[in-house]
Amino acid sequence: MIEPAPVIDRSDEQWHVDRKVPIALIITLIMQTGGFVWFGAKVDARVETLEKQVSVATPTATEQGTRLTRVETKLEAVQDGISEIKSILRKEPLPLAKVR
């Protein structure tokens, strides 16, 4: 006896929306997706603004770095001068207090 070929149900292979899926869920998913897109656009705009601020501030920061280097050099010279004055004062004898 020949057995009949098995029946294959291919109705589940394709995607479809069943009536059991509530419309509220579909609307929620659409709104959530829109929210993610909106949030991404806002983040992109903020990053762009920050990049512009950094590009404007970079020359100022470089200038401040140069000025700071000059101030440090001058401070080192002042410290060397103070050290030299201290060494001179240590070498000279202290004046004796006058006795009455």
Side-chain angles (χ1 to χ4, degrees):
M1 178 186 278
I2 299 177
E3 292 185 27
V7 176
I8 299 174
D9 185 14
R10 295 188 186 261
S11 63
D12 288 340
E13 289 181 2
Q14 294 181 351
W15 185 86
H16 63 279
V17 176
D18 193 5
R19 290 181 186 235
K20 294 178 184 177
V21 178
I23 191 76
L25 177 65
I26 295 171
I27 291 172
T28 302
L29 290 174
I30 291 171
M31 289 179 62
Q32 189 175 26
T33 303
F36 285 136
V37 169
W38 175 76
F39 177 75
K42 293 292 278 182
V43 168
D44 182 53
R46 290 180 66 190
V47 168
E48 185 177 333
T49 303
L50 289 173
E51 285 175 345
K52 287 179 183 177
Q53 288 176 353
V54 167
S55 67
V56 168
T58 300
T60 305
T62 304
E63 181 181 316
Q64 287 176 347
T66 305
R67 291 179 66 196
L68 180 62
T69 303
R70 285 186 285 195
V71 168
E72 287 175 346
T73 305
K74 290 179 181 180
L75 180 62
E76 287 174 3
V78 169
Q79 287 175 336
D80 290 342
I82 290 173
S83 296
E84 186 177 336
I85 290 171
K86 283 181 179 180
S87 68
I88 291 171
L89 288 175
R90 286 187 189 127
K91 289 179 185 175
E92 293 182 13
L94 294 173
L96 298 173
K98 293 183 181 180
V99 180
R100 291 188 188 185

